[in-house]
Amino acid sequence: MTDNLEINKKYCEAIESKIKLDAKPVAMKLIKTEDDLPEGIDLIGEKIRHCEMVRKASLGDKFYSTIDQQLCLGGAGAIGLRDMPEKLANGEKYFSLGRFQDLETAKKLTSKLSIIEDISWGIIYSPLDEADFEADVIQVITEPVGGMKLAQSIVYKTGEKITPSFAGIQSLCGDAFSNPYLSEGVNFTLGCDGSRKAADIKDNEMTVGISKAKIEEVISGLESI
């Protein structure tokens, strides 16, 4: 526990020293069963969306959630707390909202969304510098210049161009959590209507999700550039 906390504090210091932030990076970890829940972490006391939980954690709150506290079923489905609702999975919901020219196009996109199919019991959210656990994914909400710095930190080690995956829907859930979780990589997303309205992601902000497999590389790159 203590080792994880010290490591996460160092990660947070490195990110904050290089990137302009208005809130803390957020550490998140999926919990397979209630028995896996670390001591000292309380259940969130309200029912809100996953993206709102990310925002709460970025502003200093530390808590866990089960499916019962998740208001957005699409977000909960993307991060693996339940099966994806059928009308979201088959494109009907997004087509009904006028997001696509026809149902076939909607289905084409929803079939490519990042969805964790292995169902978990819950998920922990924490400011990165207060996380006494190894995060599955760390999310950084920043202005595009911060995204640029993170991109530079990645290519510093890899020499490979970055290919972000996003579609303007399911951003903090699918793009910034499930994508890096499943790919063991890093993903960049420009947000979605839900996260901008519900979670107050600003017009000048974007989000970067970094998997536990990549965080050391990203931090090392940040410290080197």
Side-chain angles (χ1 to χ4, degrees):
M1 290 286 190
T2 303
D3 288 345
N4 285 328
L5 180 59
E6 292 305 311
I7 290 169
N8 286 331
K9 283 183 176 179
K10 290 179 181 178
Y11 289 162
C12 192
E13 288 172 5
I15 293 170
E16 290 180 329
S17 71
K18 295 282 188 172
I19 296 174
K20 178 187 174 185
L21 300 176
D22 290 328
K24 292 285 184 181
V26 176
M28 285 167 277
K29 182 179 181 64
L30 287 172
I31 301 296
K32 295 302 179 184
T33 70
E34 186 172 3
D35 292 337
D36 297 327
L37 184 68
E39 293 182 6
I41 299 178
D42 294 327
L43 180 68
I44 187 171
E46 57 186 326
K47 187 169 184 174
I48 55 176
R49 296 165 175 81
H50 162 78
C51 56
E52 292 178 278
M53 295 187 191
V54 175
R55 175 57 89 185
K56 279 180 70 71
S58 78
L59 297 176
D61 289 351
K62 181 179 179 181
F63 53 88
Y64 76 93
S65 161
T66 70
I67 183 58
D68 295 333
Q69 291 76 45
Q70 296 279 340
L71 183 61
C72 175
L73 299 184
I79 65 175
L81 294 188
R82 58 156 291 159
D83 291 333
M84 183 62 72
E86 183 179 356
K87 289 189 176 182
L88 283 175
N90 65 21
E92 289 181 20
K93 178 65 174 178
Y94 290 116
F95 175 59
S96 72
L97 294 173
R99 301 286 181 82
F100 298 94
Q101 63 180 356
D102 51 44
L103 183 57
E104 183 180 355
T105 306
K107 287 181 178 179
K108 181 179 179 181
L109 188 281
T110 54
S111 70
K112 298 176 182 177
L113 292 175
S114 298
I115 297 169
I116 298 172
E117 296 181 354
D118 187 18
I119 304 300
S120 294
W121 174 82
I123 182 171
I124 307 172
Y125 302 81
S126 173
L128 180 57
D129 58 359
E130 295 181 31
D132 51 1
F133 55 87
E134 182 183 32
D136 289 326
V137 174
I138 293 167
Q139 285 187 14
V140 181
I141 301 169
T142 181
E143 294 180 356
V145 66
M148 178 194 75
K149 289 284 188 183
L150 287 168
Q152 291 171 341
S153 74
I154 295 166
V155 302
Y156 179 84
K157 289 292 183 90
T158 66
E160 299 289 340
K161 292 189 74 174
I162 296 165
T163 53
S165 175
F166 61 90
I169 58 176
Q170 294 196 357
S171 61
L172 268 66
C173 52
D175 294 344
F177 184 86
S178 303
N179 179 288
Y181 180 92
L182 294 168
S183 69
E184 297 188 339
V186 180
N187 197 29
F188 294 66
T189 180
L190 298 183
C192 61
D193 289 340
S195 62
R196 294 199 181 279
K197 291 175 182 175
D200 194 31
I201 303 299
K202 303 292 193 299
D203 287 353
N204 65 336
E205 290 179 329
M206 60 180 293
T207 304
V208 181
I210 308 166
S211 68
K212 64 182 177 184
K214 281 288 187 181
I215 184 63
E216 282 281 357
E217 186 177 302
V218 170
I219 296 300
S220 176
L222 264 182
E223 292 174 336
S224 300
I225 59 175

